[in-house]
Amino acid sequence: MEYKTAEILGTQIENLSQTEVIEIVENAIESNNQVHLEGVNAGKLADMQVDPELRESVLCSNLITADGQSVVWASKILGTPLKERVAGIDLMSQLVEKAHEKGYKIYLFGAKEAIVKEVVDQYTKKYGQEIIAGYRNGYFNASDEEAIAKNISESGAHMLFVAITSPIKENFLRKHKEQLKNINLIMGVGGSLDVISGMTKRAPVWMQDIGMEWFFRFLQEPRRMWKRYLVGNSKFIYLVFRQRFSKKK
């Protein structure tokens, strides 16, 4: 199925609401097909301009959504406005609810052992242990990847959520996509498990609405996040306006 898209820095981003994305995933599960979903924010789109492997990993997916308010703003500046931001953590939460409702199983891959275990415990208490097909922390060597992908593939999961930093999660999904072909949804969710577990606080809704969620995260971990957000976001703004004025010419 094809959807209307907005082209931002050479990437076609689907003009879909969160509700529509959930419907697509549900249809894929019911028809036993696969959705490889990639959410992009300002930093990732900027990184894709200088990281060919990351770019290939994102573009090999079949559904790319705007996981960042700045991407929605950019789409308006470029004259192809997107409906809304599809935040990865919100989408994941709704998909887990849908899994409980429909009897689907999920696999959680990423974060520290204590954090992923905490999220598993939360979901087990809320939805019952049958929702969890399996889980694993996000620390591994390249030599471990085949065994990890095999374990996920054989787990009976319908949905795989990969909570590892970029570009590791995107590259993992591209490399092992064929091995994971029986998983109906494969998607990266970044630091979502940190937030769900309670280790990291999420920005207030008003900050999310004005596109400042990244700044709230930066304030919590300035040493680790300054380059990703301050440098990456500045580069994104420059590239978007360059694309805008290039179109004008």
Side-chain angles (χ1 to χ4, degrees):
M1 186 181 295
E2 294 184 357
Y3 316 98
K4 290 184 178 179
T5 63
E7 183 188 337
I8 302 177
L9 307 186
T11 299
Q12 300 293 336
I13 301 170
E14 278 76 11
N15 187 19
L16 296 168
S17 67
Q18 180 171 287
T19 299
E20 290 170 325
V21 174
I22 292 169
E23 289 175 0
I24 290 167
V25 173
E26 187 176 1
N27 289 336
I29 295 173
E30 295 301 322
S31 58
N32 198 29
N33 292 316
Q34 186 186 77
V35 172
H36 176 187
L37 190 151
E38 287 287 352
V40 292
N41 56 23
K44 189 183 294 187
L45 285 169
D47 287 344
M48 286 168 63
Q49 309 309 303
V50 295
D51 186 338
E53 186 177 11
L54 172 62
R55 182 173 184 80
E56 181 186 354
S57 295
V58 172
L59 297 184
C60 83
S61 64
N62 60 323
L63 202 63
I64 302 176
T65 56
D67 183 9
Q69 190 61 40
S70 54
V71 178
V72 178
W73 289 344
S75 72
K76 294 176 181 178
I77 291 169
L78 296 171
T80 52
L82 295 166
K83 293 177 184 178
E84 64 181 31
R85 174 193 181 195
V86 182
I89 187 170
D90 295 329
L91 179 60
M92 176 183 172
S93 297
Q94 290 296 310
L95 287 169
V96 172
E97 288 275 359
K98 181 65 69 175
H100 171 62
E101 175 190 329
K102 295 287 188 176
Y104 305 147
K105 292 182 177 293
I106 68 171
Y107 194 108
L108 304 177
F109 174 30
K112 295 178 180 177
E113 181 70 20
I115 290 172
V116 67
K117 184 64 168 61
E118 170 62 25
V119 176
V120 167
D121 289 345
Q122 287 186 26
Y123 285 161
T124 298
K125 288 175 184 175
K126 187 173 182 179
Y127 302 118
Q129 63 182 11
E130 61 276 0
I131 197 172
I132 304 295
Y135 69 93
R136 192 198 189 284
N137 68 60
Y139 294 83
F140 57 91
N141 297 316
S143 59
D144 301 324
E145 289 191 17
E146 286 290 338
I148 293 170
K150 184 174 187 290
N151 178 264
I152 296 169
S153 177
E154 295 175 353
S155 69
H158 299 89
M159 303 179 187
L160 167 63
F161 301 105
V162 183
I164 302 173
T165 190
S166 294
I168 298 171
K169 65 179 179 293
E170 292 86 358
N171 294 341
F172 176 89
L173 289 176
R174 174 183 55 81
K175 290 175 187 175
H176 303 287
K177 189 171 181 176
E178 179 64 23
Q179 195 170 358
L180 297 169
K181 63 184 178 183
N182 61 321
I183 310 294
N184 301 112
L185 169 70
I186 57 174
M187 68 174 287
V189 292
S192 296
L193 298 190
D194 291 344
V195 176
I196 295 167
S197 71
M199 191 201 80
T200 302
K201 292 183 179 179
R202 193 176 182 194
V205 173
W206 69 268
M207 289 190 80
Q208 297 176 38
D209 291 342
I210 65 170
M212 292 296 287
E213 188 169 11
W214 68 270
F215 186 67
F216 188 85
R217 181 73 193 279
F218 164 73
L219 290 177
Q220 293 182 73
E221 297 183 271
R223 288 185 179 180
R224 191 165 78 89
M225 296 296 180
W226 75 270
K227 187 173 183 180
R228 178 190 300 183
Y229 289 134
L230 299 185
V231 176
N233 287 3
S234 299
K235 183 177 179 182
F236 176 74
I237 293 168
Y238 164 74
L239 291 170
V240 166
F241 278 102
R242 188 175 72 173
Q243 180 179 333
R244 176 73 180 87
F245 291 123
S246 293
K247 284 176 69 175
K248 255 190 168 183
K249 289 178 182 178

